[in-house]
Amino acid sequence: MSFIPLMRPNITEDDIKTVCEVLRSGMLVQGKHVEQLENRLIQTFQGKFASALSNGTATLHLALKVLGIGPGDEVIVPAFSFMATANVVELIGATPVFVDIDIDTFNIDPTLIEAAITTRTRAIIPVHEFGLSAEIGEIMNIAAKYSLHVIEDAACALGATENGRHVGTFGDFGSFSFHPRKAITTGEGGALLTNKPDLHKTVQILRNHGIQMKDGEIDFSDFGYNYRLTDFQAALFNSQFARLPQIIETRQKLAAIYLSELKAYPQFKLPSVPPGKNHTWQTFHILIPDYIDRGNVIEKMRSYGIGTNYGAQCMPFMNSFRRKYNLDCHRHFPNALKAYLQGLALPLYEGLTPQDIHVCVNTLIKST
Ligand SMILES: *Cc1c(COP(=O)(O)O)cnc(C)c1O
């Protein structure tokens, strides 16, 4: 019996050839392929500036750093996301303030944001969860009203749009990840988009040890990091990026098959796509009924040869944040908790066939 994994990166022979050429060239770090990656993002997404960085956590961390956020500051994050979204706020020394999500979209509920704003709030990090744009228009309005920065965590949402405009180009920064769980992967990798030249300049300096050229000489003007991306990783990205429209189209077709097959089973809550949003389906995520143990379902499906997993975490419910803040998640973040405890991500990748999806759905029924 062949195993259907949750996700399988689609690396073609052409992709491999491109990487090998860079390895043979001897130029391995932050060279012309990194520059090309940045130019492609700018051209395709119509942002102004892009910086390739080593991963989609470094991007968020550097964005907070460049915006001058630190101890004493509060940053609003959705209660449901991959842990990196809130971890970076801790790493910079600020305090994450969690806001519950909309259970229909799994994105931050914009109607709850204003109540979470205090005199210490400096920024909002909306997440475009699973490839679906958050209510970014409303979030930008709230941010403008209270003079807050916005860092879009678009790690899952490369190519997703809101009314035709690419996510990652609305806020001060847009952050992307190229981890193997995302639609395009460089193994590890990420990129930071911004429309503001001064922010971009600081990103470029801090990702490379604080090096700045002054009158033809190297000057260390600030304490920097090493958040560079290698050139062979960038080449791998560029090779795949040419296929992005097809990758998204394939994922949308596969998601549509899931939706039509699962419609017959009202016990599952299916993801919905509000108008104006182009969902790129990094993850196909459903909610199973609360009388069924999700861990058991994952185990059973694995035994039948299907890889599934939970989608993301209710972050304040995880031990690290629970130990520090001890928040009552049942009371404050009921939707995030539900999405975490009853959420199930089903296999979705380019090589998946309609027949595979049929098998996945039948196995889900058999396992619940
Ligand atoms: C994957 C992901 C990240 C982290 O990206 P890495 O490249 O793995 O560091 C951050 N936020 C969200 C929402 C993610 O899905």
Side-chain angles (χ1 to χ4, degrees):
M1 186 179 63
S2 64
F3 191 80
I4 300 177
L6 178 62
M7 171 66 171
R8 179 179 282 152
N10 181 20
I11 309 289
T12 66
E13 283 308 312
D14 269 352
D15 297 339
I16 293 168
K17 220 162 73 193
T18 309
V19 172
C20 290
E21 276 163 25
V22 181
L23 292 175
R24 287 194 191 97
S25 79
M27 256 308 291
L28 299 189
V29 176
Q30 209 172 275
K32 68 175 186 202
H33 294 278
V34 163
E35 213 178 297
Q36 212 175 74
L37 180 162
E38 295 168 345
N39 287 334
R40 289 208 166 141
L41 286 179
I42 294 165
Q43 281 158 12
T44 312
F45 295 172
Q46 293 172 318
K48 292 217 171 77
F49 305 98
S51 302
L53 299 178
S54 38
N55 58 67
T57 306
T59 48
L60 294 170
H61 184 234
L62 199 50
L64 288 165
K65 177 78 186 171
V66 169
L67 292 171
I69 291 164
D73 296 334
E74 291 177 358
V75 177
I76 290 175
V77 296
F80 181 71
S81 178
F82 180 61
M83 286 292 273
T85 310
N87 280 347
V88 290
V89 179
E90 289 291 333
L91 290 175
I92 208 80
T95 304
V97 174
F98 299 100
V99 168
D100 205 9
I101 56 161
D102 177 336
I103 200 65
D104 292 327
T105 61
F106 305 117
N107 279 323
I108 192 165
D109 183 340
T111 66
L112 302 177
I113 291 177
E114 283 197 78
I117 294 172
T118 72
T119 52
R120 291 167 174 255
T121 311
R122 297 283 315 283
I124 308 173
I125 308 184
V127 178
H128 304 296
E129 195 60 62
F130 302 142
L132 179 70
S133 168
E135 289 303 323
I136 193 67
E138 254 178 279
I139 293 165
M140 292 307 295
N141 286 342
I142 295 168
K145 184 170 162 192
Y146 294 90
S147 302
L148 305 177
H149 294 295
V150 174
I151 302 168
E152 300 175 66
D153 186 346
C156 303
L158 190 75
T161 58
E162 166 98 8
N163 296 321
R165 180 166 162 190
H166 280 276
V167 303
T169 62
F170 292 84
D172 295 84
F173 281 113
S175 168
F176 295 91
S177 163
F178 312 137
H179 179 269
R181 273 289 280 121
K182 325 293 183 189
I184 284 184
T185 183
T186 57
E188 301 284 0
L192 207 46
L193 256 57
T194 182
N195 291 326
K196 301 187 172 165
D198 49 330
L199 297 182
H200 174 66
K201 190 168 172 226
T202 314
V203 168
Q204 298 257 313
I205 294 167
L206 292 186
R207 77 171 166 180
N208 190 20
H209 304 290
I211 292 176
Q212 198 176 3
M213 296 307 285
K214 239 185 205 156
D215 309 322
E217 301 214 5
I218 283 180
D219 178 39
F220 291 93
S221 54
D222 208 341
F223 304 117
Y225 305 90
N226 174 2
Y227 278 172
R228 293 178 308 234
L229 187 70
T230 67
D231 230 33
F232 46 95
Q233 286 175 299
L236 181 57
F237 177 94
N238 294 334
S239 183
Q240 292 167 75
F241 191 67
R243 301 197 298 274
L244 184 63
Q246 290 109 283
I247 291 172
I248 293 174
E249 201 188 311
T250 304
R251 300 181 80 88
Q252 288 174 337
K253 275 187 187 149
L254 295 171
I257 298 172
Y258 266 126
L259 288 171
S260 83
E261 289 225 3
L262 284 167
K263 222 172 37 198
Y265 305 99
Q267 67 268 41
F268 303 115
K269 183 166 166 48
L270 305 182
S272 61
V273 184
K277 295 174 193 283
N278 188 34
H279 201 322
T280 54
W281 299 105
Q282 181 259 347
T283 293
F284 189 86
H285 183 259
I286 63 168
L287 298 182
I288 63 171
D290 56 11
Y291 53 83
I292 298 173
D293 183 85
R294 196 257 325 268
N296 274 344
V297 177
I298 293 174
E299 274 305 300
K300 269 195 201 162
M301 290 196 66
R302 194 192 321 278
S303 75
Y304 290 125
I306 312 286
T308 59
N309 209 340
Y310 60 84
Q313 292 84 32
C314 176
M315 299 188 290
F317 193 67
M318 301 295 103
N319 279 331
S320 49
F321 286 110
R322 225 199 292 205
R323 205 181 311 120
K324 185 159 181 186
Y325 301 108
N326 194 27
L327 301 173
D328 182 348
C329 295
H330 292 275
R331 196 171 133 224
H332 299 296
F333 319 112
N335 290 341
L337 196 58
K338 190 182 172 72
Y340 169 61
L341 293 174
Q342 302 306 133
L344 190 70
L346 299 173
L348 185 65
Y349 50 90
E350 274 185 276
L352 205 67
T353 66
Q355 176 56 27
D356 290 334
I357 292 184
H358 191 64
V359 172
C360 289
V361 169
N362 284 344
T363 308
L364 174 70
I365 304 307
K366 216 161 50 171
S367 308
T368 51

